[in-house]
Amino acid sequence: MVWVVTVREVVFTVSAITAIISHAMSSLLLTHSAGILDGGNKLFATIGVTAGELTILSLPLILTFDMCWERSYTATILAEVVWMFTIGVLWVITGVKAMGITSGFFKNCTTGTAAFDSLCLDAQTLSIWSLVTGGLLLAYGAALTGFAVSQGGDAWTNWKLKVKRK
């Protein structure tokens, strides 16, 4: 059972770091694409900023609540699985929409216009980082779901992720 807590801490830490990078890239794309992209094409960057804020604020907060309170609801499997899938899907949507703007990872971003080339490269970077963040959160959510199913019915709301270490 200690592996669940260790994996949780690693995934939360790495996801928070990659979310900071993705959030910064989304913010950069929103500011740099002011005169280049119309409102509908900026949607991926807006979703990236939203997912970044939710991830950066919630994951450290969940870990802090769990350290401070013995019976934190955020440590229940049900709450954590729902939240991981929610923000994981937001990150995947951001990555896929960014890939739609750039037509994939390996598109040649040399159009001759420096503004378009920079925007294309930034969107490619955003798509990679957001898909990494979303993949981490979705994989953790799936592993936690499998663990809860193997534990039985009471594990979803009564079993706390906090494990006493000796």
Side-chain angles (χ1 to χ4, degrees):
M1 304 256 191
V2 176
W3 70 269
V4 175
V5 176
T6 305
V7 167
R8 177 178 188 243
E9 291 169 355
V10 169
V11 166
F12 279 19
T13 303
V14 173
S15 295
I17 291 169
T18 58
I20 291 169
I21 295 168
S22 300
H23 181 267
M25 292 303 301
S26 297
S27 300
L28 181 72
L29 279 166
L30 277 178
T31 56
H32 285 270
S33 66
I36 299 170
L37 295 177
D38 59 350
N41 287 330
K42 291 182 185 180
L43 181 64
F44 72 97
T46 306
I47 295 172
V49 168
T50 303
E53 289 293 327
L54 290 174
T55 306
I56 294 166
L57 293 175
S58 68
L59 296 185
L61 204 58
I62 288 172
L63 287 176
T64 304
F65 280 149
D66 294 345
M67 285 187 281
C68 295
W69 293 343
E70 184 65 30
R71 300 228 175 233
S72 171
Y73 181 71
T74 59
T76 60
I77 293 177
L78 182 62
E80 207 157 291
V81 166
V82 168
W83 188 244
M84 292 307 115
F85 280 128
T86 301
I87 58 179
V89 166
L90 280 175
W91 281 119
V92 170
I93 290 170
T94 302
V96 169
K97 292 292 247 176
M99 283 175 34
I101 293 295
T102 62
S103 301
F105 289 129
F106 303 110
K107 179 185 173 194
N108 189 0
C109 289
T110 54
T111 61
T113 307
F116 281 117
D117 295 348
S118 175
L119 190 66
C120 179
L121 291 171
D122 289 345
Q124 285 178 341
T125 305
L126 172 64
S127 65
I128 292 168
W129 282 109
S130 61
L131 289 174
V132 166
T133 307
L136 276 169
L137 294 172
L138 291 175
Y140 171 69
L144 195 58
T145 301
F147 177 74
V149 168
S150 71
Q151 293 296 313
D154 235 10
W156 289 97
T157 55
N158 290 334
W159 191 74
K160 305 296 181 197
L161 287 172
K162 188 171 240 164
V163 175
K164 305 249 190 252
R165 294 184 185 175
K166 295 180 181 182

